[in-house]
Amino acid sequence: MWIDAAATIDEVEKTFYIETFGCQMNAHDSEKVVGTLVHEGYAQVESPDQANYIFFNTCSIRDKAEQKVFNRLQHFKNSGKGKVVAVIGCVAQQEGEKIFERAPHVSLVAGSASYTKLPEMLVQLEKGNRRVTGLSLDTELTFDTPFTRRDNPHRGWITVIEGCDKSCAYCVVPFTRGPERSRTGASVIEEATRLAGLGYTEIQLLGQNVNSYRDPSPAGWDFATLLDQVGRVPGIRRVRFTTSHPRDFVKPIIDAIEGNANLCNHVHLPVQSGSSRVLEAMQRLYTREQYMERIQWMREAKRPIAMTSDIIVGFPGETERDFEETLDLLEEVKYDSIFSFKYSRRPNTAALELGDQITEEEKTRRLTIVQERQRAIQMRQNAELLGEEEELLVESWYESTGQWVGRTTRNRTLSFTSGMPDLLGKYVRVRVMRAGPNSLTGEIIH
Ligand code: 5AD
Ligand code: SF4
């Protein structure tokens, strides 16, 4: 949004800029923050120089993510003079008022459970309060707003559950996002219907652990029912969800996918480690065998379901043998893709107390091996797609290469050239002609 030349001084002063770090939950939270602030009369601007309020929506999942935020804040120590600098999101919740000590130019610190109170907090600053915080992990409130400003005109994110009740030994999320709170099924359907009316055809349901979704209304839908119902909203052609915890991933979810063609053929089911011993130390609440049982359900489905995962290497006490078990699991499952990370020590987490930390050097070695192994698997998997016909939702256009890029139901991106005008948001059929480990190229089928 641009500022009208005729705007009053008051209006001009209410400009904000927002920068987002972290996961899709955070990116979607920013969409809600933007919508709420715009509704309150603030104008979004595209660079920090033009803004009176600078927001950093932050991530603290690994130390590196957190350091990035503090480096960025440092940059605004001088250039942020005369502006309000606000830290929101996971680092805000985790570090709280300590942020004011580390970065004295920050005036507002608020976690995700306090976003509904943001306009109020800004008013307090406008009244002259030097520092304002919103750090309660209010279990009653979810940030459910009709004002969301979505960045993508075709694929709409919808939060169905906030927070996390698990206590994985490495993870900050239960501390940064609080306990689980589900939205009513009716409000999710209402939002999906509204999005369909605006021309959205793909919905992505979000939560730290969507599988433990439970409708708090008397309808009492579980996640499989919610998924199926969203897939039945007229106008919606694709439904995805993220992220799943294997412990709560039940067979009815696969049954829902099989029974409803609008539910995408893709499940992200983070395993973290292939060793039951490490899984126990991580407090993941499942064994390798129980995880593989869930993979088997997906393999038995009538439609080919793409499977992706997250892997952590170098968790305290992970032996060479445990690590080999992770490599072996990669070969056994043959994921379509994975995100892999070096274990990072996080404040408040149970794993902080564990001895037998793995050196940084060794973690790097293991990460490289995991990534090489997975690359070879993807190379083989993608080669099998040669000649296949895929339906794509076209998501972007790259002027420099003259290529369109779209996504398949199995969450693969595929690029292709076409003389056809404006394909953005359209569904097209493409034949796969070339395959690399991370990319597919095709030709449009007329
Ligand atoms: N160190 C490394 N990776 C982590 N993840 C979560 N916490 C940590 C940590 N402390 C990874 C997990 C999770 C993904 C979102 O981030 O793999 O699934
Ligand atoms: Fe980062 Fe986790 Fe917070 Fe997402 S929920 S922003 S991944 S710490």
Side-chain angles (χ1 to χ4, degrees):
M1 182 184 288
W2 300 103
I3 305 161
D4 188 327
T8 66
I9 296 291
D10 240 22
E11 278 169 315
V12 171
E13 278 179 357
K14 293 173 90 175
T15 54
F16 72 96
Y17 165 82
I18 188 164
E19 221 170 89
T20 308
F21 302 82
C23 64
Q24 284 149 318
M25 292 284 286
N26 250 24
H28 185 40
D29 280 349
S30 284
E31 293 182 335
K32 296 182 208 177
V33 168
V34 170
T36 303
L37 294 182
V38 168
H39 179 76
E40 293 287 326
Y42 295 82
Q44 187 181 10
V45 291
E46 295 198 346
S47 87
D49 307 340
Q50 300 165 289
N52 300 105
Y53 293 86
I54 303 178
F55 285 86
F56 293 101
N57 190 2
T58 60
C59 172
S60 65
I61 196 89
R62 282 167 291 274
D63 187 54
K64 230 187 191 170
E66 187 179 332
Q67 291 321 319
K68 215 193 268 175
V69 171
F70 282 106
N71 290 342
R72 197 72 185 113
L73 278 178
Q74 196 58 25
H75 178 80
F76 286 93
K77 202 167 178 178
N78 296 319
S79 62
K81 283 227 165 75
K83 301 175 189 289
V84 169
V85 178
V87 179
I88 61 174
C90 294
V91 174
Q93 191 65 51
Q94 181 190 290
E95 295 299 302
E97 299 192 355
K98 279 190 267 171
I99 293 177
F100 295 135
E101 288 160 33
R102 227 171 132 179
H105 54 301
V106 171
S107 309
L108 188 152
V109 170
S112 62
S114 304
Y115 290 165
T116 39
K117 298 189 194 120
L118 267 183
E120 232 172 84
M121 290 192 259
L122 293 187
V123 169
Q124 283 180 38
L125 289 170
E126 280 154 22
K127 281 187 181 155
N129 283 358
R130 170 76 184 85
R131 277 176 175 158
V132 178
T133 54
L135 296 168
S136 69
L137 283 173
D138 194 330
T139 52
E140 298 303 313
L141 269 176
T142 54
F143 192 54
D144 177 6
T145 162
F147 312 123
T148 307
R149 275 289 167 111
R150 289 185 163 82
D151 291 334
N152 183 311
H154 316 296
R155 183 215 55 216
W157 286 317
I158 298 183
T159 310
V160 299
I161 179 169
E162 305 247 11
C164 181
D165 283 351
K166 294 282 180 295
S167 39
C168 300
Y170 50 80
C171 190
V172 285
V173 172
F175 307 100
T176 61
R177 286 186 170 269
E180 286 176 356
R181 290 143 284 160
S182 294
R183 262 172 78 173
T184 63
S187 77
V188 173
I189 297 301
E190 195 186 295
E191 190 163 2
T193 307
R194 190 155 28 91
L195 290 182
L198 292 168
Y200 287 83
T201 58
E202 181 173 318
I203 297 290
Q204 197 162 346
L205 303 180
L206 296 182
Q208 292 304 330
N209 177 10
V210 288
N211 306 145
S212 65
Y213 171 84
R214 179 61 69 168
D215 185 347
S217 79
W221 290 353
D222 59 10
F223 183 65
T225 309
L226 179 78
L227 195 56
D228 182 53
Q229 290 294 328
V230 175
R232 291 181 193 283
V233 170
I236 297 304
R237 286 180 66 167
R238 285 183 169 186
V239 185
R240 301 184 189 278
F241 56 97
T242 199
T243 190
S244 291
H245 190 294
R247 165 79 176 218
D248 303 320
F249 188 82
V250 291
K251 182 84 170 28
I253 298 174
I254 307 282
D255 297 339
I257 294 176
E258 279 204 292
N260 185 336
N262 289 342
L263 306 185
C264 286
N265 297 359
H266 173 218
V267 173
H268 183 64
L269 196 64
V271 67
Q272 315 296 1
S273 168
S275 152
S276 291
R277 209 183 65 81
V278 173
L279 289 172
E280 195 182 346
M282 287 177 164
Q283 298 173 32
R284 286 292 285 175
L285 311 175
Y286 56 85
T287 60
R288 177 186 174 125
E289 291 66 36
Q290 286 165 331
Y291 181 86
M292 286 309 297
E293 196 184 338
R294 281 141 185 81
I295 296 291
Q296 196 51 32
W297 295 340
M298 289 191 257
R299 285 190 178 140
E300 285 164 7
K302 286 181 216 87
R303 284 193 270 147
I305 298 180
M307 292 177 270
T308 56
S309 193
D310 294 343
I311 301 282
I312 296 177
V313 298
F315 187 76
E318 183 189 69
T319 62
E320 189 60 31
R321 200 193 148 116
D322 293 319
F323 175 62
E324 294 282 338
E325 286 192 50
T326 297
L327 295 178
D328 176 72
L329 183 116
L330 293 184
E331 294 290 350
E332 195 177 340
V333 179
K334 297 190 180 60
Y335 291 111
D336 293 73
S337 70
I338 61 166
F339 297 102
S340 49
F341 312 101
K342 291 191 267 187
Y343 166 70
S344 166
R345 302 184 76 204
R346 305 312 294 128
N348 307 314
T349 58
L352 268 186
E353 309 296 324
L354 298 176
D356 209 1
Q357 297 282 330
I358 312 294
T359 64
E360 200 52 33
E361 208 182 352
E362 180 57 17
K363 282 193 257 187
T364 305
R365 187 188 73 87
R366 292 183 190 181
L367 187 69
T368 309
I369 297 174
V370 159
Q371 291 176 345
E372 278 169 3
R373 195 64 72 90
Q374 179 61 24
R375 190 181 156 86
I377 293 169
Q378 280 174 217
M379 186 71 236
R380 293 201 299 270
Q381 304 261 96
N382 284 353
E384 280 174 24
L385 292 176
L386 285 171
E388 296 269 315
E389 195 180 315
E390 298 274 359
E391 186 188 56
L392 300 187
L393 165 58
V394 182
E395 292 181 350
S396 31
W397 155 252
Y398 292 94
E399 183 118 38
S400 53
T401 55
Q403 277 183 319
W404 300 96
V405 178
R407 198 171 290 272
T408 71
T409 172
R410 288 163 53 92
N411 209 38
R412 297 294 184 82
T413 49
L414 226 158
S415 53
F416 63 98
T417 45
S418 166
M420 283 162 75
D422 201 12
L423 291 177
L424 287 179
K426 304 245 164 65
Y427 287 80
V428 297
R429 299 200 73 80
V430 169
R431 190 176 308 287
V432 179
M433 303 302 286
R434 274 192 305 281
N438 294 310
S439 64
L440 296 170
T441 312
E443 275 173 11
I444 195 159
I445 301 169
H446 293 285

